[in-house]
Amino acid sequence: MKFLIYAFIAGTLFNCNGITDELVVKPTQITTLLEEYPTHISEELAIIEKDLKFWKSKLAQNPSGFLYAEKISSALDERFRLKGDIEDIDSSNQYLKQAIGLRNGWKTNNIYQDQIANLIKLHRFQDAERLCVERLNEQPRNLGFQLQFFDVLMELGKYEDAQRLLVQISKSNHGFDVIIRQAKLFDYLGRLDRTLELMAKADSMAMKSTNPTLKAWTKTIYGEYLTHSGAIASAYKQFMLALQLDPSQEYAWLNIAWIAYSHDNNQVLYERILSTLNVKSTPDLLWELAQLYKDQGDQRYHRRIKDFYDIARQPKYQLWYGPKLIEIEGEHLGNHLKACQMARKEVENRPTLEAYDGLSWSLYQAGKFDSAKMIYENHLFKKTTEPLIQYHGSEIYLKTKDIGKAKGLLAEASEARFELGPAIFKRIDQLSNQIP
């Protein structure tokens, strides 16, 4: 999608691109669940509001009650998951700080880990890194802090440091949380076979848990990796199992929507799912709808992209939507200089593969083809198997007459028809026909 036991369908069901000719998403299977989604969210939010009122009253009666502060923080986290209001995470962190102060150093590890998790949700990765280092300086062997440090290093583009850390951790720890990180690392390294094997193991472990949210989350991640392998039907089954466990698992819904669009060519169902899910405060689904309308040549694209732009530029989202705002400045508004400046800033803050891709692509769109090629050559070429980055590279190399590299990247990107979606794949076909 444009944010994995091996279960491959028999070869007779697949064409050369690993995509089945049969429709995967069954509207009759999802209609009732989809119709109930808003009600389900409302009911869960009502329970959370009741809990918040209760624990806040308890804390007001006993201001030294650190457990009450922790309960409030947890409820705010859950409300954020359902509603997407970023201010809930800010508030959650304030209550965590209060709880740490009230505990006076007694059993604070879990609270600090919750703080780091909140900083990651806020995309304040550098702050999260500092807190991880601070905690690990005191407790070098604390597995929770080590794993969070791995997460932060990956988000900051410090891939080699992250890999060294995980290798060290894996020598003595083989639990669920370690396996999930190993799967993520192998996916980054382009070892999808190993990622699938690890996620199958993680899924088996999660299913022994009594936590339906954990089970649903694991199946969703497993399903997404399966889509990368071309096992779309198997992935769909995982997403449906996830929704049976947790009907509010939004990411499972988004993956099903993408299958309907990119695999089944059912744009109506894709739009219906996105519109139904669009109950959050965050503008993410406005972005997805805008991209759909853009691909269709629908004039609603302009309104949706403006709505997204107006929300995403709010100060509270300053670290969330950098890449998307860069794309809007360059592609939609034609402010290429501003887009390039923003992209350079993004690289300074988070030198990830995606950030370098954003910079090279912004330079390309600004007509600075040689500069775009230099960035791509130095930071991206042969360093990632991400299809969108490979497609961008093919455009850049074609423009700079490096036909051999363009042809190779196009060949690799063309194997990811499902992930790229119909519009980009159509462009890849056009470019392929231009190369002798």
Side-chain angles (χ1 to χ4, degrees):
M1 189 177 168
K2 351 182 249 200
F3 286 232
L4 292 170
I5 255 166
Y6 297 134
F8 297 105
I9 306 302
T12 53
L13 294 180
F14 285 85
N15 62 26
C16 61
N17 287 317
I19 302 292
T20 69
D21 294 327
E22 298 181 0
L23 298 181
V24 171
V25 180
K26 310 296 191 296
T28 54
Q29 289 181 341
I30 68 170
T31 297
T32 301
L33 276 173
L34 190 60
E35 289 174 347
E36 292 174 351
Y37 180 83
T39 301
H40 184 81
I41 296 296
S42 297
E43 290 174 349
E44 287 200 35
L45 284 172
I47 294 171
I48 292 170
E49 295 297 341
K50 184 178 179 180
D51 287 345
L52 279 171
K53 183 178 180 181
F54 176 78
W55 294 118
K56 283 183 177 180
S57 68
K58 287 287 189 180
L59 185 61
Q61 295 167 15
N62 180 11
S64 62
F66 53 79
L67 287 176
Y68 304 146
E70 292 164 30
K71 290 286 188 180
I72 295 169
S73 171
S74 179
L76 288 167
D77 281 349
E78 186 63 13
R79 190 168 72 178
F80 169 77
R81 184 181 75 85
L82 296 169
K83 195 175 178 182
D85 190 341
I86 196 171
E87 293 173 354
D88 278 342
I89 297 300
D90 283 322
S91 297
S92 173
N93 257 358
Q94 293 305 314
Y95 281 105
L96 289 175
K97 289 178 182 178
Q98 184 177 351
I100 289 172
L102 293 171
R103 278 183 175 270
N104 196 25
W106 181 69
K107 293 186 177 180
T108 55
N109 281 351
N110 288 342
I111 307 179
Y112 278 118
Q113 287 170 14
D114 288 343
Q115 271 196 320
I116 294 168
N118 280 347
L119 290 171
I120 292 173
K121 291 172 190 173
L122 291 167
H123 291 200
R124 289 168 53 185
F125 300 115
Q126 292 170 334
D127 290 338
E129 181 185 29
R130 282 191 288 270
L131 188 51
C132 282
V133 170
E134 177 186 311
R135 293 293 93 206
L136 286 170
N137 283 338
E138 294 188 8
Q139 302 176 61
R141 297 186 181 278
N142 184 289
L143 180 61
F145 293 130
Q146 287 178 322
L147 292 175
Q148 287 186 311
F149 194 29
F150 167 83
D151 295 337
V152 172
L153 290 172
M154 290 292 288
E155 293 288 354
L156 290 173
K158 299 181 180 181
Y159 303 115
E160 292 181 1
D161 291 342
Q163 184 171 358
R164 280 193 294 269
L165 175 61
L166 191 59
V167 167
Q168 186 63 36
I169 293 170
S170 301
K171 290 178 180 178
S172 57
N173 294 280
H174 310 285
F176 175 86
D177 291 329
V178 176
I179 291 171
I180 289 292
R181 269 73 171 194
Q182 289 174 328
K184 180 177 181 178
L185 180 62
F186 277 109
D187 181 52
Y188 159 74
L189 295 172
R191 288 285 311 280
L192 184 57
D193 57 339
R194 185 70 177 124
T195 295
L196 284 165
E197 182 181 353
L198 289 162
M199 281 308 304
K201 186 175 181 180
D203 181 59
S204 178
M205 294 170 74
M207 290 307 291
K208 296 174 184 176
S209 164
T210 58
N211 184 341
T213 301
L214 175 66
K215 293 179 181 179
W217 179 85
T218 306
K219 286 197 168 295
T220 300
I221 301 303
Y222 185 21
E224 183 170 12
Y225 284 129
L226 280 168
T227 65
H228 296 173
S229 75
I232 310 301
S234 293
Y236 174 69
K237 291 177 182 177
Q238 292 297 322
F239 299 138
M240 288 302 298
L241 288 170
L243 291 176
Q244 290 169 19
L245 290 162
D246 178 10
S248 66
Q249 175 52 256
E250 183 188 41
Y251 202 47
W253 276 116
L254 290 173
N255 274 281
I256 288 174
W258 187 252
I259 292 174
Y261 175 56
S262 186
H263 181 279
D264 295 353
N265 196 32
N266 191 337
Q267 297 177 357
V268 173
L269 183 57
Y270 180 55
E271 183 177 6
R272 181 185 174 191
I273 294 173
L274 292 183
S275 298
T276 302
L277 298 181
N278 195 23
V279 296
K280 284 193 169 185
S281 302
T282 51
D284 301 81
L285 294 176
L286 290 174
W287 172 267
E288 297 297 337
L289 285 167
Q291 299 313 300
L292 171 65
Y293 297 145
K294 179 183 178 183
D295 294 347
Q296 293 175 330
D298 191 315
Q299 288 302 306
R300 286 179 291 178
Y301 162 70
H302 300 285
R303 185 173 71 252
R304 290 293 188 184
I305 208 69
K306 182 181 183 304
D307 290 342
F308 173 86
Y309 185 70
D310 290 342
I311 297 173
R313 284 194 306 162
Q314 293 177 14
K316 65 181 179 180
Y317 292 124
Q318 60 176 327
L319 299 175
W320 270 36
Y321 297 113
K324 291 181 173 62
L325 290 173
I326 291 166
E327 183 176 328
I328 293 173
E329 291 291 349
E331 291 190 23
H332 183 71
L333 300 177
N335 297 331
H336 296 299
L337 177 60
K338 184 175 180 181
C340 290
Q341 291 172 339
M342 292 170 64
R344 290 189 187 281
K345 185 67 175 177
E346 189 77 11
V347 167
E348 288 176 15
N349 291 333
R350 293 177 63 194
T352 61
L353 296 170
E354 291 76 16
Y356 278 114
D357 176 56
L359 177 57
S360 65
W361 192 238
S362 295
L363 290 166
Y364 171 82
Q365 291 179 316
K368 300 179 180 181
F369 305 124
D370 290 334
S371 296
K373 180 179 179 180
M374 182 180 68
I375 295 295
Y376 197 94
E377 191 87 10
N378 291 339
H379 300 284
L380 297 168
F381 186 63
K382 290 189 175 180
K383 294 181 180 179
T384 178
T385 57
E386 172 58 41
L388 183 62
I389 297 178
Q390 291 175 326
Y391 157 66
H392 287 161
S394 68
E395 292 269 21
I396 291 168
Y397 282 125
L398 271 177
K399 183 62 72 171
T400 53
K401 310 301 182 184
D402 200 333
I403 305 302
K405 289 180 180 177
K407 191 172 183 178
L409 288 172
L410 274 176
E412 292 187 58
S414 67
E415 296 177 2
R417 178 175 183 173
F418 170 80
E419 291 180 70
L420 291 171
I424 293 179
F425 201 78
K426 181 179 179 181
R427 175 61 178 164
I428 287 175
D429 278 343
Q430 293 171 347
L431 292 176
S432 299
N433 292 332
Q434 295 175 16
I435 298 177

